[in-house]
């Protein structure tokens, strides 16, 4: 199979050393393995800037959506109600989860190119005192927008509600002081900014609220409280864990620290993003998000007005030369997306843009 780098929001390109960790087969019951799980959990709390007396970390088998579903279906009781704040496909996935699980919910929906307004959230909570929880995506990779979750969380906590943050594509690549911002449950995934591989999600959770959720879960496998209760004893997962992914993630966490932690990684991602936008604009590609809320994770670009442009042709051309980019997910415009997280550096952005420029020249000569 031809090798290429992933310019996507995850799974992403990992280091060779992270990949090599998966060459070892480990037993789930082994004490060494359970200690690796415990080390990951404590490391995640440090990255989240939370106190282990107040917060805990729970690892959950499955993709990021499994983690989101685990939280929503475990901590919101039958007599409680959720406000879902959304401006993209992943907020809309929360609506699907709530609908499937029979969770009572309201929706505040913004356009994909606008951040949700904390003032509107305040008014909704005031008008609907029955709402008990609020859920929102931080980095909405549908568009690449980085939502102002800090301001929304402040409003939520002022109203005495529970704040749930989907930080799938931002945690580890954007510094998030979880406790200071008032986030009660934060969800992310192994194959995102910490630069591991797919296989499990993780939840940073307020202990008292997690304890209150006992018996509320609508699912056996995704019962967040029961997962925590078992894991908290000695690091044992309730059901079979993705051992190779866990080993790779432990290595990825070491490499994040060696790079300089979240601040250094965030700078690299942001530098990649700025360079990408600059070079793409030089070629006539306009970013879909054109303000300070463009996040450092992935950028959505509008198709050029040139009717000769074909994304599928460009995708194949770029892939054959070493990079995979992403189709668009915005519904009201023709777009494509380019991520810059993972083991991606300035040289990769330069190389990618040279390939795209070459593609455009080839298409121009075909006219």
């Amino acid at each position: 199979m031809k090798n290429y780098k992933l310019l996507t929001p995850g799974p992403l390109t990992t280091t060779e050393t992270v990949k090599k960790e998966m060459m070892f087969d480990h037993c789930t019951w082994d004490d060494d393995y359970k200690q690796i799980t415990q080390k990951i959990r404590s490391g995640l709390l440090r990255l989240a800037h939370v106190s282990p007396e107040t917060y805990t970390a729970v690892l959950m088998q499955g993709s990021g959506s499994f983690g989101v579903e685990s939280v929503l279906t475990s901590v919101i009781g039958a007599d409680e109600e959720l406000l879902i704040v959304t401006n993209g496909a992943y907020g809309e996935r929360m609506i699907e989860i709530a609908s499937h699980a029979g969770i009572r919910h309201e929706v505040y929906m913004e356009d994909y190119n606008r951040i949700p307004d904390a003032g509107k959230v305040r008014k909704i909570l005031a008008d609907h005192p029955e709402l008990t929880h609020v859920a929102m995506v931080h980095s909405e990779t549908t568009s690449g927008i980085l939502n102002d979750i800090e301001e929304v969380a402040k409003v939520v906590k002022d109203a005495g509600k529970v704040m749930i943050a989907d930080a799938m594509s931002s945690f580890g690549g954007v510094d998030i002081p979880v406790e200071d911002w008032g986030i009660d449950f934060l969800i992310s995934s192994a194959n995102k900014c910490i630069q591991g591989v797919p296989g499990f999600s993780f939840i940073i959770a307020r202990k008292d609220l997690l304890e209150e959720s006992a018996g509320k879960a609508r699912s056996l496998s995704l019962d967040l409280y029961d997962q925590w209760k078992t894991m908290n004893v000695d690091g044992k997962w309730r059901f079979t864990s993705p051992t190779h992914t866990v080993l790779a993630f432990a290595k990825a966490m070491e490499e994040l620290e060696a790079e300089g932690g979240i601040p250094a990684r965030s700078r690299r991602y942001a530098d990649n993003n700025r360079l990408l936008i600059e070079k793409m604009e030089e070629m006539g590609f306009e970013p879909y998000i054109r303000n300070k809320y463009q996040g450092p994770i992935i950028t959505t670009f509008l198709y050029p007005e040139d009717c000769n442009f074909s994304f599928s042709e460009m995708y194949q051309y770029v892939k054959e030369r070493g990079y995979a980019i992403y189709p668009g997910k915005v519904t009201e415009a023709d777009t494509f997306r380019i991520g810059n997280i993972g083991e991606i550096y300035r040289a990769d952005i330069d190389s990618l843009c040279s390939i795209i420029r070459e593609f455009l020249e080839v298409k121009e000569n075909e006219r």
Side-chain angles (χ1 to χ4, degrees):
M1 184 180 294
K2 183 176 174 61
N3 193 27
Y4 51 83
K5 290 188 175 182
L6 302 177
L7 295 172
T8 66
L12 37 67
T13 295
T14 56
T15 63
E16 289 300 317
T17 42
V18 164
K19 293 180 181 73
K20 285 178 181 177
E21 291 295 303
M22 295 186 288
M23 298 300 291
F24 184 75
D25 299 320
H26 221 308
C27 172
T28 59
W29 284 89
D30 184 81
D31 285 340
D32 290 344
Y33 177 73
K34 289 188 284 187
Q35 287 172 19
I36 292 170
T37 296
Q38 297 294 61
K39 184 178 179 181
I40 288 172
R41 294 177 67 216
S42 60
L44 289 171
L45 296 182
R46 288 193 296 273
L47 292 176
H49 307 289
V50 296
S51 161
E53 286 74 40
T54 308
Y55 283 79
T56 189
V58 189
L59 313 185
M60 180 63 69
Q61 296 93 327
S63 70
S65 292
F66 282 59
V68 173
E69 186 159 351
S70 173
V71 172
L72 297 186
T73 60
S74 294
V75 307
I76 303 167
D79 58 344
E80 296 174 311
E81 189 165 343
L82 171 68
L83 172 63
I84 300 170
V85 180
T86 176
N87 61 342
Y90 295 98
E92 290 165 12
R93 186 168 297 174
M94 290 187 191
I95 299 172
E96 289 185 78
I97 290 169
S99 298
H100 274 269
I103 297 170
R104 293 163 55 201
H105 62 281
E106 298 286 339
V107 176
Y108 161 35
M109 188 174 292
E110 271 290 359
D111 293 339
Y112 282 12
N113 61 349
R114 295 175 59 88
I115 66 163
D117 185 336
K120 291 182 180 179
V121 174
R122 179 184 291 108
K123 185 176 187 310
I124 293 168
L125 293 177
D127 291 344
H128 297 273
E130 70 276 10
L131 291 166
T132 54
H133 298 68
V134 177
M136 177 178 168
V137 175
H138 186 207
S139 174
E140 181 51 89
T141 55
T142 302
S143 64
I145 202 166
L146 189 68
N147 290 322
D148 192 348
I149 206 160
E150 179 182 6
E151 282 302 306
V152 172
K154 183 178 185 302
V155 165
V156 171
K157 299 318 293 180
D158 286 346
K161 314 298 182 180
V162 176
M163 182 68 197
I164 300 168
D166 172 342
M168 207 65 59
S169 299
S170 57
F171 186 81
V174 176
D175 211 9
I176 306 172
V178 171
E179 193 163 7
D180 288 349
W181 285 7
I183 298 170
D184 299 304
F185 295 91
L186 178 142
I187 311 127
S188 192
S189 180
N191 59 292
K192 300 290 185 176
C193 295
I194 296 178
Q195 297 185 186
V197 301
F200 70 88
S201 55
F202 56 86
I203 297 95
I204 312 295
R206 270 255 312 267
K207 281 184 181 178
D208 57 341
L209 295 175
L210 187 54
E211 288 170 344
E212 285 177 15
S213 74
K216 292 182 181 178
R218 294 163 171 83
S219 165
L220 172 66
S221 299
L222 298 178
D223 187 328
L224 186 62
Y225 173 80
D226 276 1
Q227 183 87 340
W228 171 64
K229 187 172 65 173
T230 301
M231 189 171 285
N232 213 41
V233 175
D234 61 358
K236 177 71 175 65
W237 300 54
R238 272 189 309 158
F239 307 126
T240 302
S241 63
T243 53
H244 301 85
T245 298
V246 171
L247 298 177
F249 190 75
K251 183 64 175 177
M253 290 187 72
E254 291 176 6
E255 293 183 357
L256 171 59
E257 184 176 354
E259 185 175 347
I262 294 175
R265 184 156 292 177
S266 182
R267 281 194 300 274
R268 173 161 65 86
Y269 289 173
D271 288 346
N272 287 346
N273 181 255
R274 280 193 292 270
L275 180 62
L276 173 67
I277 291 174
E278 176 186 314
K279 286 183 171 289
M280 292 294 285
E281 284 184 323
E282 288 174 0
M283 291 183 278
F285 291 100
E286 293 186 18
Y288 177 70
I289 304 296
R290 299 193 60 88
N291 54 37
K292 64 180 180 178
Y293 297 111
Q294 168 61 57
I297 307 304
I298 190 168
T299 307
T300 292
F301 291 98
L302 297 164
Y303 282 15
E305 294 181 2
D306 184 345
C307 62
N308 198 37
F309 176 80
S310 165
F311 172 74
S312 60
E313 288 182 17
M314 186 174 79
Y315 173 84
Q316 198 60 39
Y317 190 92
V318 170
K319 180 182 174 183
E320 287 171 357
R321 287 155 181 80
Y323 295 95
I325 58 178
Y326 238 38
K329 208 173 179 71
V330 173
T331 53
E332 79 276 9
D334 290 327
T335 62
F336 62 93
R337 295 175 290 168
I338 301 177
N340 47 247
I341 63 175
E343 197 63 5
I344 299 296
Y345 295 86
R346 182 186 182 94
D348 294 297
I349 303 300
D350 284 335
S351 177
L352 169 75
C353 291
S354 294
I355 294 167
I356 292 175
R357 187 179 295 278
E358 184 181 276
F359 168 78
L360 295 175
E361 289 171 356
V362 169
K363 296 304 292 180
E364 180 65 26
N365 291 335
E366 288 178 356
R367 289 189 177 192

